[in-house]
Amino acid sequence: MQSEPLQIDLTDQPAVDDVDFLDDQINAFNMAAVGAYDARLLAAFVRHSGRGIVAGISGYTWAGFCEIRLLWVHEDLRGQGYGSRLLAMAEQEARARGCRMITLGSYTFQAPDFYQRHGYQIVGTLPACPPGHMHVFLMKGL
């Protein structure tokens, strides 16, 4: 590093390019540390011609596992099987990519019961995160 003073900026509106830069840097470090360079994004969307995206799932696969980061279904469509179908699609694609496990996090006010009905097991919790609820970590062998 240079001997010039460094500046630290805290923001609640980071530039997308800046966040992408951080993501690229940590991914490069992780891949080199593990020796696995097979990271790929994974996503599927349910689209309505007049409303745009009404449901979707996203995450990534890498080094024999898959992490689901987001699964959302519009409130009007919940309980109609879209979440289950998106999750099954992600699991199938993860298997096709050679993954042996899938992980995700959910809050108790979200959908941990949904995931447990689909064979996921709770492997950890953070109590009072947020207050009055828990952050639940789940996994499933593929």
Side-chain angles (χ1 to χ4, degrees), residues 86-121:
L86 287 166
L87 189 59
M89 288 176 71
E91 290 174 1
Q92 181 179 0
E93 180 61 19
R95 279 188 203 93
R97 295 181 187 186
C99 295
R100 295 174 306 282
M101 94 169 72
I102 190 163
T103 65
L104 58 90
S106 183
Y107 295 102
T108 50
F109 59 85
Q110 289 177 325
D113 294 339
F114 166 82
Y115 295 114
Q116 288 179 288
R117 286 193 305 272
H118 288 86
Y120 288 75
Q121 297 176 333

PDB file of all heavy atoms in Angstrom, residues 86-121:
ATOM      1  N   LEU A  86     -39.583 -23.987  -7.136  1.00  0.00           N
ATOM      2  CA  LEU A  86     -38.306 -23.292  -7.270  1.00  0.00           C
ATOM      3  C   LEU A  86     -37.217 -23.991  -6.455  1.00  0.00           C
ATOM      4  O   LEU A  86     -36.089 -24.174  -6.939  1.00  0.00           O
ATOM      5  CB  LEU A  86     -38.447 -21.835  -6.818  1.00  0.00           C
ATOM      6  CG  LEU A  86     -39.222 -20.926  -7.764  1.00  0.00           C
ATOM      7  CD1 LEU A  86     -39.588 -19.622  -7.060  1.00  0.00           C
ATOM      8  CD2 LEU A  86     -38.417 -20.648  -9.034  1.00  0.00           C
ATOM      9  N   LEU A  87     -37.543 -24.396  -5.240  1.00  0.00           N
ATOM     10  CA  LEU A  87     -36.573 -25.089  -4.400  1.00  0.00           C
ATOM     11  C   LEU A  87     -36.158 -26.412  -5.029  1.00  0.00           C
ATOM     12  O   LEU A  87     -34.967 -26.743  -5.081  1.00  0.00           O
ATOM     13  CB  LEU A  87     -37.152 -25.304  -2.999  1.00  0.00           C
ATOM     14  CG  LEU A  87     -36.195 -25.820  -1.933  1.00  0.00           C
ATOM     15  CD1 LEU A  87     -35.019 -24.873  -1.736  1.00  0.00           C
ATOM     16  CD2 LEU A  87     -36.953 -26.015  -0.614  1.00  0.00           C
ATOM     17  N   ALA A  88     -37.119 -27.167  -5.557  1.00  0.00           N
ATOM     18  CA  ALA A  88     -36.813 -28.447  -6.213  1.00  0.00           C
ATOM     19  C   ALA A  88     -35.924 -28.223  -7.442  1.00  0.00           C
ATOM     20  O   ALA A  88     -34.994 -29.006  -7.698  1.00  0.00           O
ATOM     21  CB  ALA A  88     -38.104 -29.161  -6.605  1.00  0.00           C
ATOM     22  N   MET A  89     -36.195 -27.171  -8.202  1.00  0.00           N
ATOM     23  CA  MET A  89     -35.357 -26.864  -9.369  1.00  0.00           C
ATOM     24  C   MET A  89     -33.929 -26.557  -8.947  1.00  0.00           C
ATOM     25  O   MET A  89     -32.973 -27.023  -9.579  1.00  0.00           O
ATOM     26  CB  MET A  89     -35.933 -25.679 -10.146  1.00  0.00           C
ATOM     27  CG  MET A  89     -37.202 -25.980 -10.907  1.00  0.00           C
ATOM     28  SD  MET A  89     -37.867 -24.488 -11.706  1.00  0.00           S
ATOM     29  CE  MET A  89     -36.644 -24.247 -12.987  1.00  0.00           C
ATOM     30  N   ALA A  90     -33.774 -25.770  -7.890  1.00  0.00           N
ATOM     31  CA  ALA A  90     -32.436 -25.426  -7.409  1.00  0.00           C
ATOM     32  C   ALA A  90     -31.712 -26.678  -6.919  1.00  0.00           C
ATOM     33  O   ALA A  90     -30.519 -26.866  -7.198  1.00  0.00           O
ATOM     34  CB  ALA A  90     -32.529 -24.380  -6.304  1.00  0.00           C
ATOM     35  N   GLU A  91     -32.408 -27.533  -6.194  1.00  0.00           N
ATOM     36  CA  GLU A  91     -31.798 -28.772  -5.705  1.00  0.00           C
ATOM     37  C   GLU A  91     -31.373 -29.663  -6.867  1.00  0.00           C
ATOM     38  O   GLU A  91     -30.274 -30.228  -6.855  1.00  0.00           O
ATOM     39  CB  GLU A  91     -32.770 -29.512  -4.795  1.00  0.00           C
ATOM     40  CG  GLU A  91     -33.014 -28.826  -3.472  1.00  0.00           C
ATOM     41  CD  GLU A  91     -34.103 -29.500  -2.640  1.00  0.00           C
ATOM     42  OE1 GLU A  91     -34.665 -30.521  -3.083  1.00  0.00           O
ATOM     43  OE2 GLU A  91     -34.388 -28.990  -1.545  1.00  0.00           O
ATOM     44  N   GLN A  92     -32.225 -29.786  -7.874  1.00  0.00           N
ATOM     45  CA  GLN A  92     -31.904 -30.616  -9.038  1.00  0.00           C
ATOM     46  C   GLN A  92     -30.675 -30.078  -9.770  1.00  0.00           C
ATOM     47  O   GLN A  92     -29.784 -30.842 -10.149  1.00  0.00           O
ATOM     48  CB  GLN A  92     -33.103 -30.678  -9.981  1.00  0.00           C
ATOM     49  CG  GLN A  92     -32.882 -31.534 -11.202  1.00  0.00           C
ATOM     50  CD  GLN A  92     -34.108 -31.595 -12.100  1.00  0.00           C
ATOM     51  OE1 GLN A  92     -35.137 -30.988 -11.824  1.00  0.00           O
ATOM     52  NE2 GLN A  92     -34.000 -32.336 -13.183  1.00  0.00           N
ATOM     53  N   GLU A  93     -30.617 -28.765  -9.955  1.00  0.00           N
ATOM     54  CA  GLU A  93     -29.468 -28.168 -10.633  1.00  0.00           C
ATOM     55  C   GLU A  93     -28.202 -28.321  -9.791  1.00  0.00           C
ATOM     56  O   GLU A  93     -27.120 -28.587 -10.323  1.00  0.00           O
ATOM     57  CB  GLU A  93     -29.733 -26.691 -10.940  1.00  0.00           C
ATOM     58  CG  GLU A  93     -28.597 -25.997 -11.639  1.00  0.00           C
ATOM     59  CD  GLU A  93     -28.230 -26.578 -12.999  1.00  0.00           C
ATOM     60  OE1 GLU A  93     -29.049 -27.297 -13.623  1.00  0.00           O
ATOM     61  OE2 GLU A  93     -27.100 -26.308 -13.461  1.00  0.00           O
ATOM     62  N   ALA A  94     -28.332 -28.168  -8.477  1.00  0.00           N
ATOM     63  CA  ALA A  94     -27.174 -28.350  -7.592  1.00  0.00           C
ATOM     64  C   ALA A  94     -26.639 -29.779  -7.715  1.00  0.00           C
ATOM     65  O   ALA A  94     -25.418 -29.978  -7.801  1.00  0.00           O
ATOM     66  CB  ALA A  94     -27.552 -28.024  -6.153  1.00  0.00           C
ATOM     67  N   ARG A  95     -27.532 -30.756  -7.735  1.00  0.00           N
ATOM     68  CA  ARG A  95     -27.105 -32.152  -7.915  1.00  0.00           C
ATOM     69  C   ARG A  95     -26.389 -32.315  -9.255  1.00  0.00           C
ATOM     70  O   ARG A  95     -25.346 -32.980  -9.340  1.00  0.00           O
ATOM     71  CB  ARG A  95     -28.304 -33.096  -7.865  1.00  0.00           C
ATOM     72  CG  ARG A  95     -28.770 -33.446  -6.488  1.00  0.00           C
ATOM     73  CD  ARG A  95     -29.848 -34.546  -6.522  1.00  0.00           C
ATOM     74  NE  ARG A  95     -30.635 -34.487  -5.327  1.00  0.00           N
ATOM     75  CZ  ARG A  95     -31.780 -33.811  -5.181  1.00  0.00           C
ATOM     76  NH1 ARG A  95     -32.310 -33.157  -6.191  1.00  0.00           N
ATOM     77  NH2 ARG A  95     -32.411 -33.806  -4.032  1.00  0.00           N
ATOM     78  N   ALA A  96     -26.957 -31.735 -10.315  1.00  0.00           N
ATOM     79  CA  ALA A  96     -26.360 -31.843 -11.644  1.00  0.00           C
ATOM     80  C   ALA A  96     -24.963 -31.227 -11.676  1.00  0.00           C
ATOM     81  O   ALA A  96     -24.112 -31.648 -12.465  1.00  0.00           O
ATOM     82  CB  ALA A  96     -27.262 -31.172 -12.682  1.00  0.00           C
ATOM     83  N   ARG A  97     -24.721 -30.252 -10.813  1.00  0.00           N
ATOM     84  CA  ARG A  97     -23.407 -29.615 -10.738  1.00  0.00           C
ATOM     85  C   ARG A  97     -22.471 -30.338  -9.781  1.00  0.00           C
ATOM     86  O   ARG A  97     -21.366 -29.875  -9.508  1.00  0.00           O
ATOM     87  CB  ARG A  97     -23.554 -28.157 -10.304  1.00  0.00           C
ATOM     88  CG  ARG A  97     -24.300 -27.300 -11.311  1.00  0.00           C
ATOM     89  CD  ARG A  97     -24.382 -25.872 -10.836  1.00  0.00           C
ATOM     90  NE  ARG A  97     -25.233 -25.054 -11.690  1.00  0.00           N
ATOM     91  CZ  ARG A  97     -25.372 -23.739 -11.547  1.00  0.00           C
ATOM     92  NH1 ARG A  97     -24.703 -23.093 -10.596  1.00  0.00           N
ATOM     93  NH2 ARG A  97     -26.164 -23.070 -12.351  1.00  0.00           N
ATOM     94  N   GLY A  98     -22.911 -31.464  -9.231  1.00  0.00           N
ATOM     95  CA  GLY A  98     -22.067 -32.265  -8.364  1.00  0.00           C
ATOM     96  C   GLY A  98     -22.100 -31.890  -6.900  1.00  0.00           C
ATOM     97  O   GLY A  98     -21.258 -32.343  -6.121  1.00  0.00           O
ATOM     98  N   CYS A  99     -23.079 -31.108  -6.500  1.00  0.00           N
ATOM     99  CA  CYS A  99     -23.171 -30.710  -5.088  1.00  0.00           C
ATOM    100  C   CYS A  99     -23.691 -31.857  -4.237  1.00  0.00           C
ATOM    101  O   CYS A  99     -24.557 -32.626  -4.658  1.00  0.00           O
ATOM    102  CB  CYS A  99     -24.092 -29.494  -4.934  1.00  0.00           C
ATOM    103  SG  CYS A  99     -23.442 -28.025  -5.729  1.00  0.00           S
ATOM    104  N   ARG A 100     -23.173 -31.947  -3.026  1.00  0.00           N
ATOM    105  CA  ARG A 100     -23.570 -32.986  -2.083  1.00  0.00           C
ATOM    106  C   ARG A 100     -24.402 -32.435  -0.930  1.00  0.00           C
ATOM    107  O   ARG A 100     -24.938 -33.193  -0.131  1.00  0.00           O
ATOM    108  CB  ARG A 100     -22.338 -33.695  -1.541  1.00  0.00           C
ATOM    109  CG  ARG A 100     -21.586 -34.466  -2.618  1.00  0.00           C
ATOM    110  CD  ARG A 100     -20.282 -35.057  -2.139  1.00  0.00           C
ATOM    111  NE  ARG A 100     -19.362 -34.106  -1.526  1.00  0.00           N
ATOM    112  CZ  ARG A 100     -18.581 -33.235  -2.191  1.00  0.00           C
ATOM    113  NH1 ARG A 100     -18.620 -33.183  -3.490  1.00  0.00           N
ATOM    114  NH2 ARG A 100     -17.768 -32.434  -1.536  1.00  0.00           N
ATOM    115  N   MET A 101     -24.468 -31.102  -0.813  1.00  0.00           N
ATOM    116  CA  MET A 101     -25.292 -30.510   0.240  1.00  0.00           C
ATOM    117  C   MET A 101     -25.757 -29.136  -0.204  1.00  0.00           C
ATOM    118  O   MET A 101     -25.167 -28.514  -1.085  1.00  0.00           O
ATOM    119  CB  MET A 101     -24.560 -30.446   1.574  1.00  0.00           C
ATOM    120  CG  MET A 101     -23.859 -29.139   1.838  1.00  0.00           C
ATOM    121  SD  MET A 101     -23.267 -28.938   3.523  1.00  0.00           S
ATOM    122  CE  MET A 101     -21.910 -30.065   3.541  1.00  0.00           C
ATOM    123  N   ILE A 102     -26.834 -28.703   0.433  1.00  0.00           N
ATOM    124  CA  ILE A 102     -27.389 -27.386   0.171  1.00  0.00           C
ATOM    125  C   ILE A 102     -27.654 -26.722   1.517  1.00  0.00           C
ATOM    126  O   ILE A 102     -28.090 -27.390   2.456  1.00  0.00           O
ATOM    127  CB  ILE A 102     -28.652 -27.501  -0.716  1.00  0.00           C
ATOM    128  CG1 ILE A 102     -29.125 -26.156  -1.216  1.00  0.00           C
ATOM    129  CG2 ILE A 102     -29.745 -28.259  -0.039  1.00  0.00           C
ATOM    130  CD1 ILE A 102     -30.097 -26.265  -2.393  1.00  0.00           C
ATOM    131  N   THR A 103     -27.320 -25.441   1.627  1.00  0.00           N
ATOM    132  CA  THR A 103     -27.482 -24.719   2.885  1.00  0.00           C
ATOM    133  C   THR A 103     -28.267 -23.437   2.648  1.00  0.00           C
ATOM    134  O   THR A 103     -28.317 -22.930   1.522  1.00  0.00           O
ATOM    135  CB  THR A 103     -26.114 -24.355   3.509  1.00  0.00           C
ATOM    136  OG1 THR A 103     -25.442 -23.439   2.644  1.00  0.00           O
ATOM    137  CG2 THR A 103     -25.255 -25.590   3.724  1.00  0.00           C
ATOM    138  N   LEU A 104     -28.859 -22.931   3.724  1.00  0.00           N
ATOM    139  CA  LEU A 104     -29.587 -21.665   3.644  1.00  0.00           C
ATOM    140  C   LEU A 104     -29.877 -21.163   5.038  1.00  0.00           C
ATOM    141  O   LEU A 104     -29.729 -21.886   6.015  1.00  0.00           O
ATOM    142  CB  LEU A 104     -30.888 -21.823   2.844  1.00  0.00           C
ATOM    143  CG  LEU A 104     -31.910 -22.860   3.331  1.00  0.00           C
ATOM    144  CD1 LEU A 104     -32.875 -22.239   4.313  1.00  0.00           C
ATOM    145  CD2 LEU A 104     -32.666 -23.417   2.149  1.00  0.00           C
ATOM    146  N   GLY A 105     -30.304 -19.915   5.115  1.00  0.00           N
ATOM    147  CA  GLY A 105     -30.714 -19.312   6.381  1.00  0.00           C
ATOM    148  C   GLY A 105     -32.110 -18.746   6.251  1.00  0.00           C
ATOM    149  O   GLY A 105     -32.534 -18.341   5.165  1.00  0.00           O
ATOM    150  N   SER A 106     -32.832 -18.743   7.351  1.00  0.00           N
ATOM    151  CA  SER A 106     -34.188 -18.204   7.386  1.00  0.00           C
ATOM    152  C   SER A 106     -34.446 -17.671   8.784  1.00  0.00           C
ATOM    153  O   SER A 106     -33.861 -18.151   9.753  1.00  0.00           O
ATOM    154  CB  SER A 106     -35.198 -19.311   7.050  1.00  0.00           C
ATOM    155  OG  SER A 106     -36.510 -18.824   7.013  1.00  0.00           O
ATOM    156  N   TYR A 107     -35.300 -16.688   8.884  1.00  0.00           N
ATOM    157  CA  TYR A 107     -35.718 -16.206  10.193  1.00  0.00           C
ATOM    158  C   TYR A 107     -36.971 -16.954  10.620  1.00  0.00           C
ATOM    159  O   TYR A 107     -37.731 -17.445   9.783  1.00  0.00           O
ATOM    160  CB  TYR A 107     -35.993 -14.694  10.156  1.00  0.00           C
ATOM    161  CG  TYR A 107     -34.759 -13.887   9.877  1.00  0.00           C
ATOM    162  CD1 TYR A 107     -34.519 -13.368   8.612  1.00  0.00           C
ATOM    163  CD2 TYR A 107     -33.821 -13.656  10.883  1.00  0.00           C
ATOM    164  CE1 TYR A 107     -33.376 -12.627   8.354  1.00  0.00           C
ATOM    165  CE2 TYR A 107     -32.673 -12.917  10.626  1.00  0.00           C
ATOM    166  CZ  TYR A 107     -32.463 -12.408   9.358  1.00  0.00           C
ATOM    167  OH  TYR A 107     -31.331 -11.686   9.111  1.00  0.00           O
ATOM    168  N   THR A 108     -37.210 -17.006  11.915  1.00  0.00           N
ATOM    169  CA  THR A 108     -38.379 -17.749  12.394  1.00  0.00           C
ATOM    170  C   THR A 108     -39.685 -17.150  11.895  1.00  0.00           C
ATOM    171  O   THR A 108     -40.682 -17.862  11.794  1.00  0.00           O
ATOM    172  CB  THR A 108     -38.395 -17.819  13.932  1.00  0.00           C
ATOM    173  OG1 THR A 108     -38.206 -16.500  14.470  1.00  0.00           O
ATOM    174  CG2 THR A 108     -37.319 -18.750  14.455  1.00  0.00           C
ATOM    175  N   PHE A 109     -39.708 -15.874  11.526  1.00  0.00           N
ATOM    176  CA  PHE A 109     -40.928 -15.269  10.987  1.00  0.00           C
ATOM    177  C   PHE A 109     -41.037 -15.472   9.481  1.00  0.00           C
ATOM    178  O   PHE A 109     -42.005 -15.047   8.862  1.00  0.00           O
ATOM    179  CB  PHE A 109     -41.019 -13.774  11.334  1.00  0.00           C
ATOM    180  CG  PHE A 109     -39.872 -12.947  10.836  1.00  0.00           C
ATOM    181  CD1 PHE A 109     -39.875 -12.439   9.544  1.00  0.00           C
ATOM    182  CD2 PHE A 109     -38.799 -12.669  11.659  1.00  0.00           C
ATOM    183  CE1 PHE A 109     -38.823 -11.672   9.077  1.00  0.00           C
ATOM    184  CE2 PHE A 109     -37.745 -11.894  11.212  1.00  0.00           C
ATOM    185  CZ  PHE A 109     -37.748 -11.401   9.917  1.00  0.00           C
ATOM    186  N   GLN A 110     -40.038 -16.132   8.886  1.00  0.00           N
ATOM    187  CA  GLN A 110     -40.076 -16.416   7.459  1.00  0.00           C
ATOM    188  C   GLN A 110     -40.553 -17.845   7.227  1.00  0.00           C
ATOM    189  O   GLN A 110     -41.737 -18.109   7.397  1.00  0.00           O
ATOM    190  CB  GLN A 110     -38.702 -16.174   6.818  1.00  0.00           C
ATOM    191  CG  GLN A 110     -38.316 -14.726   6.731  1.00  0.00           C
ATOM    192  CD  GLN A 110     -36.931 -14.537   6.149  1.00  0.00           C
ATOM    193  OE1 GLN A 110     -36.024 -15.347   6.369  1.00  0.00           O
ATOM    194  NE2 GLN A 110     -36.755 -13.445   5.413  1.00  0.00           N
ATOM    195  N   ALA A 111     -39.630 -18.756   6.883  1.00  0.00           N
ATOM    196  CA  ALA A 111     -40.101 -20.055   6.408  1.00  0.00           C
ATOM    197  C   ALA A 111     -39.290 -21.271   6.857  1.00  0.00           C
ATOM    198  O   ALA A 111     -39.148 -22.212   6.096  1.00  0.00           O
ATOM    199  CB  ALA A 111     -40.151 -20.017   4.883  1.00  0.00           C
ATOM    200  N   PRO A 112     -38.764 -21.307   8.089  1.00  0.00           N
ATOM    201  CA  PRO A 112     -38.017 -22.519   8.452  1.00  0.00           C
ATOM    202  C   PRO A 112     -38.870 -23.782   8.409  1.00  0.00           C
ATOM    203  O   PRO A 112     -38.372 -24.851   8.057  1.00  0.00           O
ATOM    204  CB  PRO A 112     -37.486 -22.230   9.853  1.00  0.00           C
ATOM    205  CG  PRO A 112     -38.299 -21.096  10.370  1.00  0.00           C
ATOM    206  CD  PRO A 112     -38.765 -20.329   9.175  1.00  0.00           C
ATOM    207  N   ASP A 113     -40.156 -23.681   8.733  1.00  0.00           N
ATOM    208  CA  ASP A 113     -41.032 -24.862   8.663  1.00  0.00           C
ATOM    209  C   ASP A 113     -41.174 -25.359   7.225  1.00  0.00           C
ATOM    210  O   ASP A 113     -41.199 -26.564   6.972  1.00  0.00           O
ATOM    211  CB  ASP A 113     -42.412 -24.552   9.239  1.00  0.00           C
ATOM    212  CG  ASP A 113     -42.370 -24.263  10.736  1.00  0.00           C
ATOM    213  OD1 ASP A 113     -41.393 -24.667  11.404  1.00  0.00           O
ATOM    214  OD2 ASP A 113     -43.321 -23.632  11.236  1.00  0.00           O
ATOM    215  N   PHE A 114     -41.269 -24.439   6.282  1.00  0.00           N
ATOM    216  CA  PHE A 114     -41.338 -24.786   4.858  1.00  0.00           C
ATOM    217  C   PHE A 114     -40.125 -25.621   4.469  1.00  0.00           C
ATOM    218  O   PHE A 114     -40.246 -26.665   3.840  1.00  0.00           O
ATOM    219  CB  PHE A 114     -41.415 -23.495   4.031  1.00  0.00           C
ATOM    220  CG  PHE A 114     -41.150 -23.670   2.569  1.00  0.00           C
ATOM    221  CD1 PHE A 114     -42.159 -24.099   1.716  1.00  0.00           C
ATOM    222  CD2 PHE A 114     -39.901 -23.392   2.030  1.00  0.00           C
ATOM    223  CE1 PHE A 114     -41.919 -24.254   0.358  1.00  0.00           C
ATOM    224  CE2 PHE A 114     -39.652 -23.540   0.678  1.00  0.00           C
ATOM    225  CZ  PHE A 114     -40.665 -23.977  -0.164  1.00  0.00           C
ATOM    226  N   TYR A 115     -38.937 -25.153   4.852  1.00  0.00           N
ATOM    227  CA  TYR A 115     -37.723 -25.884   4.496  1.00  0.00           C
ATOM    228  C   TYR A 115     -37.657 -27.237   5.185  1.00  0.00           C
ATOM    229  O   TYR A 115     -37.252 -28.233   4.572  1.00  0.00           O
ATOM    230  CB  TYR A 115     -36.488 -25.043   4.816  1.00  0.00           C
ATOM    231  CG  TYR A 115     -36.413 -23.796   3.982  1.00  0.00           C
ATOM    232  CD1 TYR A 115     -36.537 -22.537   4.567  1.00  0.00           C
ATOM    233  CD2 TYR A 115     -36.242 -23.862   2.603  1.00  0.00           C
ATOM    234  CE1 TYR A 115     -36.477 -21.387   3.800  1.00  0.00           C
ATOM    235  CE2 TYR A 115     -36.191 -22.712   1.830  1.00  0.00           C
ATOM    236  CZ  TYR A 115     -36.306 -21.482   2.436  1.00  0.00           C
ATOM    237  OH  TYR A 115     -36.269 -20.343   1.668  1.00  0.00           O
ATOM    238  N   GLN A 116     -38.074 -27.309   6.442  1.00  0.00           N
ATOM    239  CA  GLN A 116     -38.070 -28.590   7.144  1.00  0.00           C
ATOM    240  C   GLN A 116     -39.020 -29.582   6.468  1.00  0.00           C
ATOM    241  O   GLN A 116     -38.713 -30.774   6.393  1.00  0.00           O
ATOM    242  CB  GLN A 116     -38.430 -28.394   8.613  1.00  0.00           C
ATOM    243  CG  GLN A 116     -37.303 -27.728   9.389  1.00  0.00           C
ATOM    244  CD  GLN A 116     -37.657 -27.510  10.836  1.00  0.00           C
ATOM    245  OE1 GLN A 116     -38.476 -26.658  11.170  1.00  0.00           O
ATOM    246  NE2 GLN A 116     -37.041 -28.305  11.698  1.00  0.00           N
ATOM    247  N   ARG A 117     -40.157 -29.111   5.972  1.00  0.00           N
ATOM    248  CA  ARG A 117     -41.070 -29.998   5.235  1.00  0.00           C
ATOM    249  C   ARG A 117     -40.421 -30.540   3.960  1.00  0.00           C
ATOM    250  O   ARG A 117     -40.837 -31.567   3.444  1.00  0.00           O
ATOM    251  CB  ARG A 117     -42.364 -29.270   4.879  1.00  0.00           C
ATOM    252  CG  ARG A 117     -43.297 -29.053   6.050  1.00  0.00           C
ATOM    253  CD  ARG A 117     -44.692 -28.629   5.630  1.00  0.00           C
ATOM    254  NE  ARG A 117     -44.722 -27.446   4.784  1.00  0.00           N
ATOM    255  CZ  ARG A 117     -44.766 -26.185   5.233  1.00  0.00           C
ATOM    256  NH1 ARG A 117     -44.780 -25.937   6.546  1.00  0.00           N
ATOM    257  NH2 ARG A 117     -44.792 -25.172   4.398  1.00  0.00           N
ATOM    258  N   HIS A 118     -39.404 -29.839   3.476  1.00  0.00           N
ATOM    259  CA  HIS A 118     -38.708 -30.270   2.270  1.00  0.00           C
ATOM    260  C   HIS A 118     -37.397 -30.995   2.589  1.00  0.00           C
ATOM    261  O   HIS A 118     -36.528 -31.122   1.724  1.00  0.00           O
ATOM    262  CB  HIS A 118     -38.467 -29.067   1.354  1.00  0.00           C
ATOM    263  CG  HIS A 118     -39.717 -28.591   0.704  1.00  0.00           C
ATOM    264  ND1 HIS A 118     -40.579 -27.702   1.306  1.00  0.00           N
ATOM    265  CD2 HIS A 118     -40.282 -28.912  -0.483  1.00  0.00           C
ATOM    266  CE1 HIS A 118     -41.603 -27.489   0.510  1.00  0.00           C
ATOM    267  NE2 HIS A 118     -41.453 -28.207  -0.578  1.00  0.00           N
ATOM    268  N   GLY A 119     -37.266 -31.473   3.816  1.00  0.00           N
ATOM    269  CA  GLY A 119     -36.134 -32.319   4.170  1.00  0.00           C
ATOM    270  C   GLY A 119     -34.923 -31.607   4.743  1.00  0.00           C
ATOM    271  O   GLY A 119     -33.889 -32.234   4.965  1.00  0.00           O
ATOM    272  N   TYR A 120     -35.020 -30.320   4.992  1.00  0.00           N
ATOM    273  CA  TYR A 120     -33.898 -29.573   5.564  1.00  0.00           C
ATOM    274  C   TYR A 120     -33.883 -29.750   7.077  1.00  0.00           C
ATOM    275  O   TYR A 120     -34.931 -29.831   7.708  1.00  0.00           O
ATOM    276  CB  TYR A 120     -33.997 -28.084   5.211  1.00  0.00           C
ATOM    277  CG  TYR A 120     -33.702 -27.829   3.757  1.00  0.00           C
ATOM    278  CD1 TYR A 120     -34.628 -28.145   2.776  1.00  0.00           C
ATOM    279  CD2 TYR A 120     -32.483 -27.295   3.364  1.00  0.00           C
ATOM    280  CE1 TYR A 120     -34.358 -27.926   1.434  1.00  0.00           C
ATOM    281  CE2 TYR A 120     -32.198 -27.076   2.029  1.00  0.00           C
ATOM    282  CZ  TYR A 120     -33.145 -27.401   1.067  1.00  0.00           C
ATOM    283  OH  TYR A 120     -32.863 -27.198  -0.264  1.00  0.00           O
ATOM    284  N   GLN A 121     -32.679 -29.797   7.629  1.00  0.00           N
ATOM    285  CA  GLN A 121     -32.510 -29.925   9.070  1.00  0.00           C
ATOM    286  C   GLN A 121     -31.893 -28.655   9.625  1.00  0.00           C
ATOM    287  O   GLN A 121     -30.988 -28.072   9.011  1.00  0.00           O
ATOM    288  CB  GLN A 121     -31.587 -31.095   9.395  1.00  0.00           C
ATOM    289  CG  GLN A 121     -32.127 -32.429   8.951  1.00  0.00           C
ATOM    290  CD  GLN A 121     -31.115 -33.540   9.210  1.00  0.00           C
ATOM    291  OE1 GLN A 121     -29.910 -33.325   9.243  1.00  0.00           O
ATOM    292  NE2 GLN A 121     -31.633 -34.733   9.404  1.00  0.00           N
TER     293      GLN A 121
END
